[in-house]
Structure formats: C-alpha cells, structure tokens
Amino acid sequence: MSENRPSIAVVGGGFAGVGAVVMLRRAGYDDVTVFERGERVGGVWHHNTYPGAACDVPSHLYEFSFEPNPRWSRRYAPQEEIQAYLEDVARRNGVLDRIRTSTEVLSAAWHEERAKWVLQTTAGEHEADVLLTACGQLSVPSVPPLPGLDDFEGPAFHTATWRHDVDLTGKRVAVIGTGCSAIQVVPAIQPKVQSVTVYQRSPGWTIPKMDYAYSERAQRLFERFPVLQRLDRALVFGFMEVGAAGMTNRRWLLVPFRAMARWNISRAIKDPELRAKVTPADEVGCKRVMLTDEWYPTLTKPNVELVTDPVVQITPAGVRTADGTERAADVIIHATGFRTHGFVAPMEITGATGQTLAQAWAGVPRAYLGMSVPGFPNMFLLYGPNTNGGTGSVIYTIEANVNHVVVALRELERARARRIEVDAARAEAYDRELRAALAGTVWHTGCTSWYVDADGNDPNQWPWLWSTYRKRAERIEPGVYELSA
Ligand code: NAP
C-alpha cells in the first residue's frame, strides 16, 4: 500500500466498473485498474444489441447522479445511446486509461502475509490491495438445456449474443421466452419477418411504458435549468419507491399497478382466448413488472402466434411442444434470460481461509449489504447479492456501493491498517434480518422469476426501500468491520 493509498482492482467495465473508477478518483483513490473481458466498456449495454433494446427505467434516473445528461433523446433511452453515454463518461473522466479491455479475470486469491489480492487474468498476473467485483447480475446468458438443442439446422442464438449477420427478413422465427428482452425483440422484428412464433412458459404483468421523444426545446430546457432534470429524477424516484413499498411490505400499494396492468391487456387485446393466455395468475410484481405499449398489439398481428404449450424439444427444423406439435422455424432466438445466481462466476475467488466464494456461499450467495463477505478481506461486491429491486435504477445502488467502499477505505487509512474484513456475527445478523424481510415480499408469492431459485432461495432482491439501502450503505456502523495491520 503506497503512502496509505491502496491499489484497487475492479473486475468488470460496465456501469459499476466505470462508476467506481470515477467516484474513487474523485475521492482521491487514483491507483485503480479495471479488467473487462469485452472489447470495450459497457457491460450489458455493450453486449445486448438485439433489435428494440432500450432501458425501461426513465433516462433521468438511469444515469449517474454526478453526470446528468440533459440531451437524452427519449424518456426511455435506446441501447446505443446508453452505451454512448457510458463511453462518454468513461472518456471524460480518465477511465479509459485505467481499463484493460479484452482481459478476463480467471481467478483472484487473497495472500494473507502480503495482504494482497493476486489476480490471474488472460493477460497475466496482477496484484492489488483491494478487490472490487463489478460483474453485474445479468451478464451470463442462460439457454435452457432443451433436448435437441444442437440438432437445429438454422441459426439459433441468445438475445444477449445477437447475430447481426443473420438477416431475419422474410424468415420464420421462433422466440423462446416472454421476459423483458422478448417483449422488446418481438415488436421490433415482427414487421420484417414472415412469421414469429412466441413460446411462453408463464406470462408476466406489464404496465404502459408511455415512452416519448424529448423535443430539442425540452433538451435545451434541461440543459439550461438542471433543476428541472433533478426534479424529474426525484419524481421518478418517488414513483419507484411507491412500487418498492408495494412489493415489499405495503402490498395494498400494488392495487393501482394491478389495475394498470389489466388495462394494458384489455386495451390492446379483444380476443378472449389470447387475453386469457397473457393474463398472469400470480401477483403483480412477483416477476419483474415489464413496461410496454407494443407487446400486446404485436401479439394480435396476423404473422404472430403465441404458443403456451411447453417446449419439449428442438428439432432439426423447428420447435416441438408437449402436445406433439412441431412448428417449423428458420431461426430460433433464445430470450431465456441469464444465470442470475452466480454473481462473480465463472471467476473463482479464494479468501483468507482457502475457501472459495462459491464454497462459502454453498449455493446461496449472501453478503453484508450485498458487498462484504466474512473471510474475504479487502473485497467488496458492487451490485452484489440482494441489491436488486423490483423497481428502481441499478445505478443508484452502484453509487451507494461505491460510497460505502470509499468510507471503508477512509477507515483503513485512518487506522493505518492494511486489512478490513466484515465481522462474521454482524454479517450473520444482517442476513437473518434480510431473509425474514424477504419472506414477506411479493417475490415469494409463487411464480417463476430470475430472483428466486427452485429451492425458494432469493439471492437477488433487496426487501426494503431504495432510500433505506442508500442510508444503510453510506455509513459504517461501529463494529461491523475489523481492521488490522
Ligand atoms: P427473464 O426476465 O429471466 O426472462 C426469461 C424468459 O425465458 C421468461 O419468460 C422465462 O419463462 C423463459 N424461460 C426460461 N427458461 C425457459 C424454458 N426452459 N422454457 C421456456 N421458457 C423459458 O430474462 P430477460 O427477458 O432477458 O430479462 C432479464 C432481466 O434483464 C430483466 O428482468 C431486466 O432486469 C433486465 N432487462 C431489462 C431490460 C430493459 O431495461 N428494458 C431489457 C431486457 C432485460 P418464465 O417466466 O416462466 O420463467
């Protein structure tokens, strides 16, 4: 540790990695190196380039609070604009000098005597005093292991690894899955394909998106009077907090959301059979609520079929469902989500006791405030376990995470220590409090979602308000961390 200022290694160059460098540098921590396996910064926004990809959080909340952009073209920015924003923030804040792209971190191990993290990367070894993981929760695509997957004779790909070389014009396309990615892809490709068959396992609730373009005049107003943008951000945040309260401990607040969701279906679909197919049986918010004005109208188009019989096999020529029907397809698109419970996987992290993080977690990732794990000193997870919300902006969470890290690093400096580790009993008490609160949330009312695993474990969700997370994360309670030389 040079002059008490630690060297910091960050794994991942998405919003969390870029935000961490900017915030750490502004706090005086300049010795930061970011490793990014992609060829540029961006994370999910770099990788998810499928047609129709856009954010479903209003742009004035889906941006760094310290880098407001008055020039968003729409209320909900499209993927390429978010990617350009992040690259611009990175360029203007000296992040690009600190990032090693096309470099994957394979493993990281804590060296107790030297109090260092030793990283093995595809470009060699690297050492740092502090390790921050910024790997995201939705970065590893998941394709269900359906029988016959490799037998399909046409192109088949996941939404997050979109094949831009495959022209869908006039093709028969099968889309498996009806989550946030599918509801954007299908309306975007429907006008150009011959037909699209959508395979739905279980429907999710949606509410109207009401997207619109910001006029030049509106953009100039936001530029001239930043307070207007801050006001809009505060209003959006307040609305999201109402949703968060409804999903966690004030269920009655979901009543208007349920009404909006029902109206979103009834305004677009007149056919009772199709209506029944898309109407979920579960509670609004159990799966992530999706925002769309296009999904249901698209399902009513003559070249679109919604299939609700379970997919049982991929055949050389298409998709077979449980009733024995085989529907032909030229292209299959897997809109089947991500491996959301691995967090840092496949990277292997070994802590002070020789245990890996995967072993310490034993199937259920957990961390104090989503960031700190006993036995893993000088390591902080950004957007780690139980820091996702049914509403809100992940960027808000990431900022709270980095503020926590900065407070912890200041403690380290103040104590002239080399090592900071969360107290096991405090982490355990926090985990008990968290699990008890999670049990009463809407996410545990019986539905499939990317939050809850088959055994009912929920390593993703934060069961309180977002403002509560920020308040708790931005200060360190006495006794939570042990500092040592
Ligand atoms: P997802 O929400 O996890 O949806 C995956 C879909 O695949 C679900 O419909 C699921 O059905 C289906 N599926 C999974 N395994 C299946 C199987 N074996 N057979 C048939 N269907 C199967 O994934 P996603 O749509 O990629 O979205 C993931 C998250 O990414 C979102 O919740 C959101 O947080 C983020 N995202 C955001 C945006 C945005 O900002 N607009 C866009 C895309 C993604 P079940 O529902 O029955 O499980």
Side-chain angles (χ1 to χ4, degrees):
M1 207 171 298
S2 60
E3 293 172 2
N4 248 357
R5 285 274 136 122
S7 56
I8 302 165
V10 182
V11 185
F15 261 97
V18 170
V21 181
V22 178
M23 292 174 73
L24 287 166
R25 290 196 65 211
R26 289 184 185 187
Y29 297 95
D30 212 34
D31 187 352
V32 189
T33 309
V34 183
F35 297 92
E36 165 55 48
R37 68 176 170 204
E39 62 280 13
R40 54 204 306 156
V41 300
V44 290
W45 293 107
H46 167 55
H47 292 290
N48 284 263
T49 59
Y50 58 78
C55 194
D56 61 6
V57 177
S59 308
H60 291 165
L61 187 61
Y62 202 85
E63 62 179 6
F64 291 118
S65 62
F66 49 84
E67 283 284 354
N69 172 20
R71 286 280 171 185
W72 290 115
S73 67
R74 307 190 65 80
R75 180 112 180 113
Y76 296 91
Q79 171 267 333
E80 60 276 12
E81 205 175 333
I82 299 171
Q83 174 66 18
Y85 164 81
L86 192 61
E87 290 193 12
D88 182 53
V89 170
R91 193 166 36 247
R92 285 188 293 99
N93 287 279
V95 178
L96 298 183
D97 305 339
R98 284 161 179 78
I99 188 155
R100 299 195 191 162
T101 50
S102 304
T103 307
E104 183 170 354
V105 178
L106 306 168
S107 65
W110 174 251
H111 194 293
E112 187 66 54
E113 287 81 51
R114 301 201 347 264
K116 294 261 185 218
W117 280 101
V118 182
L119 280 61
Q120 303 300 333
T121 83
T122 48
E125 196 170 281
H126 180 87
E127 285 192 2
D129 299 312
V130 174
L131 174 67
L132 303 187
T133 68
C135 308
Q137 295 188 16
L138 300 159
S139 48
V140 183
S142 164
V143 175
L146 291 162
L149 209 52
D150 296 331
D151 301 340
F152 184 62
E153 283 165 356
F157 50 90
H158 189 276
T159 45
T161 51
W162 193 265
R163 288 267 309 269
H164 289 279
D165 59 322
V166 176
D167 183 7
L168 298 180
T169 311
K171 299 272 175 19
R172 296 164 303 173
V173 181
V175 176
I176 303 179
T178 53
C180 290
S181 301
I183 66 152
Q184 294 184 332
V185 163
V186 175
I189 64 170
Q190 173 272 326
K192 70 188 308 197
V193 300
Q194 184 193 118
S195 65
V196 52
T197 309
V198 181
Y199 294 89
Q200 171 185 280
R201 185 165 66 178
S202 55
W205 289 106
T206 75
I207 57 172
K209 189 167 186 183
M210 293 182 284
D211 189 16
Y212 54 85
Y214 284 125
S215 64
E216 172 62 25
R217 189 153 164 265
Q219 293 179 29
R220 263 192 282 126
L221 271 176
F222 288 133
E223 207 161 46
R224 184 123 185 257
F225 304 106
V227 68
L228 291 178
Q229 193 168 340
R230 283 203 294 276
L231 185 67
D232 183 43
R233 182 182 167 91
L235 288 173
V236 173
F237 184 78
F239 178 74
M240 299 264 185
E241 285 287 69
V242 173
M247 290 177 198
T248 53
N249 63 357
R250 290 189 173 78
R251 207 66 68 72
W252 56 271
L253 284 170
L254 292 178
V255 171
F257 289 90
R258 201 175 303 133
M260 260 192 285
R262 286 196 176 280
W263 178 70
N264 213 20
I265 296 173
S266 62
R267 71 170 169 151
I269 300 179
K270 302 299 166 212
D271 170 17
E273 202 183 318
L274 184 57
R275 259 193 203 180
K277 279 182 173 180
V278 299
T279 303
D282 48 58
E283 180 66 274
V284 171
C286 186
K287 285 183 200 290
R288 189 175 189 271
V289 176
M290 301 176 281
L291 276 74
T292 178
D293 299 315
E294 299 170 325
W295 172 240
Y296 301 127
T298 302
L299 293 181
T300 67
K301 302 284 184 206
N303 65 341
V304 180
E305 185 187 8
L306 181 71
V307 175
T308 53
D309 274 316
V311 174
V312 289
Q313 190 187 0
I314 305 295
T315 66
V319 178
R320 178 168 293 131
T321 47
D323 61 354
T325 311
E326 181 184 353
R327 290 176 179 82
D330 302 312
V331 181
I332 297 179
I333 296 167
H334 298 285
T336 41
F338 299 85
R339 294 194 185 163
T340 52
H341 300 150
F343 291 87
V344 300
M347 175 175 58
E348 188 174 85
I349 300 185
T350 308
T353 62
Q355 237 190 359
T356 66
L357 196 51
Q359 287 166 341
W361 280 342
V364 188
R366 52 188 85 219
Y368 175 74
L369 288 174
M371 291 182 273
S372 308
V373 183
F376 293 79
N378 295 19
M379 180 188 86
F380 299 91
L381 305 155
L382 307 182
Y383 189 33
N386 299 101
T387 60
N388 186 67
T391 66
S393 162
V394 63
I395 301 170
Y396 180 88
T397 312
I398 289 164
E399 289 185 24
N401 288 165
V402 184
N403 283 332
H404 185 91
V405 172
V406 169
V407 178
L409 296 182
R410 297 234 192 283
E411 289 281 303
L412 203 63
E413 277 185 76
R414 193 188 46 75
R416 295 188 173 279
R418 289 197 307 163
R419 194 183 187 286
I420 181 165
E421 181 180 343
V422 68
D423 177 75
R426 296 294 291 268
E428 173 82 37
Y430 162 81
D431 196 58
R432 271 199 305 275
E433 181 197 3
L434 178 97
R435 306 279 150 213
L438 275 172
T441 64
V442 72
W443 307 306
H444 291 262
T445 51
C447 67
T448 51
S449 75
W450 63 260
Y451 312 144
V452 180
D453 71 17
D455 300 321
N457 300 308
D458 178 352
N460 298 92
Q461 296 304 90
W462 170 256
W464 297 287
L465 295 180
W466 282 107
S467 42
T468 309
Y469 185 75
R470 195 145 193 162
K471 259 182 241 140
R472 287 187 75 164
E474 289 189 344
R475 59 182 287 272
I476 290 181
E477 288 173 25
V480 164
Y481 285 104
E482 292 161 8
L483 296 148
S484 53

